[in-house]
Amino acid sequence: MTRRFKVGIIGCGHIFDAYARLSRVFAPIDIVACADIDQLAANRRASQYGLTSLGVSELLAESGIDAVINLTNPASHATITDAALSAGKHTYSEKPLALAMADAHHLIDLAMRNGLGLAAAPDTFLGGAHQAARGLIDAGRLGTIKAGSAHFMNHGMEAWHPNPFPYYQAGAGPVLDMGPYYVTVLVSLLGPVKRVASLATTFFDEREVTAEGPNQGTIVAVATPTNSQSLIDFHSGAQVHFSTSYDVWGHGHVNPIELHGTEASLMLPDPNYFAGGLEIIDANGRSPIDTQDAPFGIPNWREPRGALIGNYRGLGLADMLDGIANGRAARASGDLALHVLEVLLAIIRSAERGQFIEIESTIERPEPLDIETARRLKAVDAPAEFLSVQ
Ligand SMILES: NC(=O)c1ccc[n+]([C@@H]2O[C@H](COP(=O)([O-])OP(=O)(O)OC[C@H]3O[C@@H](n4cnc5c(N)ncnc54)[C@H](O)[C@@H]3O)[C@@H](O)[C@H]2O)c1
């Protein structure tokens, strides 16, 4: 019998919807309340999803709530996670865990001292596609992985996001906003990072908001590098080229991530999603691999622009709660998020200093998501149920 945890969400903005809707996929998650610095936003979400709307401190003081999901903006992540852990709540934070290493270390210590679970997004590496990749790597299908590449490149968000300002400030940019997806998947597959080197530049000092909304026509002053090229050197010996950009008009890198081993090369799908196909290339040619049979591998979510993708946001939280019930570590652990944060901050610092930055923290690869655990986490079994999620 799966233990269900009463969960409160702090931060009732854009991504709230995905967590609220997808929570019914996961047996351990029972969302009961929400809060926001903007009480009207909390009231709106509460009435939309049949939750109790509370103030932030009221939610934290509520003894019936076991766990908190922190969906505030990155600048508030460390403060809200600190407050939730101090109030005795297991906590799951959206990425990044914090914006400074000292804060990340403090949160890990606090969770440990208070005997609480701490985990963080992204949890996409637990999806069917990237777990299937993990299976192939662990089975030795690639041989020894020596090299790879990862690309996140687009032209930013002022053409579609009504409030793109935070994305161009220090503490954001493509490295800290999208980098967590790429680096977390890479660490989950290749293990810890030893050192990084990078170069960074900014194509545009100002950008105009063209998206519809109250900010249309406003100029955004860019205060963080928006294009970077990094070399990531893993303790395993693998060397990966990682590029991030909000500046390019287009590119021809078809595979968001590629890993090249002595026996085969593996092409991986977008690490922002949980589902997607793989492709192995070896002496026998190219072989596509369908990963829909893997747990959380079925596309279940219709994007606004029509694409059907795999979206199981909350899987990392469900896994953390199941771990608490069964006395084991979370896979999307705070420690993993801390290591990833150190790598991302090092990418930014290396470009500023023009030198390699050694990574001090280390981490074991999270355990693969086994079938038995995946079954325990899933409340809904029929794919048709997932497809109706949005
Ligand atoms: N939008 C996406 O597609 C997306 C996808 C994945 C992850 N995320 C991550 O999720 C988080 C939230 O993103 P979003 O797009 O929902 O942002 P958003 O700006 O739409 O919503 C954030 C909400 O948090 C509230 N908030 C901010 N500081 C607070 C505080 N100190 N106390 C209480 N409430 C506070 C704001 O009032 C707002 O309602 C971010 O970390 C983002 O990186 C977003």
Side-chain angles (χ1 to χ4, degrees):
M1 174 78 181
T2 305
R3 179 175 160 200
R4 271 168 81 70
F5 291 75
K6 302 266 185 230
V7 176
I9 298 184
I10 301 181
C12 300
H14 180 83
I15 201 66
F16 184 101
D17 229 13
Y19 279 89
R21 287 173 187 224
L22 289 163
S23 65
R24 69 190 180 90
V25 170
F26 301 110
I29 304 177
D30 181 13
I31 298 180
V32 295
C34 62
D36 196 289
I37 206 167
D38 172 359
Q39 194 61 50
L40 288 180
N43 293 348
R44 259 196 312 274
R45 290 307 198 185
S47 70
Q48 192 181 354
Y49 289 101
L51 309 173
T52 306
S53 174
L54 298 169
V56 173
S57 41
E58 270 182 309
L59 188 150
L60 294 176
E62 178 54 64
S63 60
I65 291 177
D66 308 302
V68 163
I69 309 177
N70 179 358
L71 301 185
T72 61
N73 305 104
S76 292
H77 284 180
T79 316
I80 293 294
T81 297
D82 187 340
L85 292 170
S86 300
K89 312 296 185 200
H90 305 293
T91 306
Y92 184 83
S93 172
E94 251 303 336
K95 47 81 190 166
L97 178 63
L99 295 180
M101 287 308 290
D103 289 338
H105 281 293
H106 166 72
L107 297 175
I108 303 279
D109 290 347
L110 184 59
M112 197 179 298
R113 269 202 316 277
N114 290 359
L116 295 166
L118 173 61
D123 49 1
T124 45
F125 73 93
L126 295 171
H130 296 95
Q131 286 295 308
R134 171 74 182 264
L136 290 168
I137 290 168
D138 289 0
R141 184 71 176 80
L142 274 64
T144 305
I145 298 171
K146 294 287 207 180
S149 62
H151 300 284
F152 168 76
M153 303 170 87
N154 66 25
H155 203 266
M157 58 280 300
E158 64 275 19
W160 60 270
H161 199 300
N163 180 28
F165 301 94
Y167 294 95
Y168 294 106
Q169 306 312 311
V175 173
L176 280 170
D177 182 46
M178 292 305 289
Y181 294 103
Y182 291 76
V183 174
T184 304
V185 160
L186 289 170
V187 170
S188 81
L189 297 176
L190 301 174
V193 172
K194 192 168 143 201
R195 58 181 188 153
V196 305
S198 67
L199 292 171
T201 187
T202 302
F203 287 21
F204 312 103
D205 294 332
E206 294 186 335
R207 315 184 60 126
E208 183 182 340
V209 184
T210 53
E212 277 181 29
N215 296 316
Q216 196 172 40
T218 311
I219 299 298
V220 185
V222 176
T224 188
T226 42
N227 192 93
S228 74
Q229 315 278 345
S230 321
L231 297 173
I232 307 181
D233 190 10
F234 288 82
H235 281 283
S236 69
Q239 300 169 352
V240 175
H241 165 217
F242 177 36
S243 45
T244 70
S245 186
Y246 282 159
D247 292 333
V248 302
W249 293 101
H251 64 84
H253 305 292
V254 216
N255 301 297
I257 299 181
E258 300 188 354
L259 296 175
H260 303 288
T262 48
E263 303 298 321
S265 293
L266 179 63
M267 311 293 118
L268 294 103
D270 192 334
N272 192 10
Y273 304 135
F274 292 74
L278 303 171
E279 187 178 33
I280 283 266
I281 307 171
D282 63 11
N284 298 314
R286 308 179 84 100
S287 317
I289 298 170
D290 187 343
T291 65
Q292 292 204 30
D293 286 345
F296 307 106
I298 299 172
N300 63 335
W301 186 271
R302 189 69 66 185
E303 290 264 84
R305 284 176 225 169
L308 184 63
I309 56 136
N311 189 357
Y312 296 93
R313 285 200 155 84
L315 177 52
L317 167 66
D319 177 69
M320 176 185 84
L321 297 175
D322 179 75
I324 291 164
N326 292 293
R328 62 161 179 86
R331 289 176 168 84
S333 66
D335 294 301
L336 174 61
L338 178 141
H339 182 69
V340 168
L341 178 67
E342 188 179 355
V343 173
L344 299 172
L345 293 174
I347 288 174
I348 294 168
R349 212 164 68 241
S350 168
E352 288 165 358
R353 294 191 184 170
Q355 62 190 46
F356 270 100
I357 304 283
E358 303 288 327
I359 303 300
E360 288 174 9
S361 65
T362 190
I363 182 83
E364 294 284 319
R365 291 189 310 163
E367 287 294 311
L369 184 60
D370 57 285
I371 297 279
E372 211 176 293
T373 306
R375 283 207 186 107
R376 255 198 332 269
L377 299 185
K378 221 188 234 185
V380 182
D381 235 356
E385 273 292 309
F386 298 163
L387 284 165
S388 67
V389 159
Q390 184 169 304

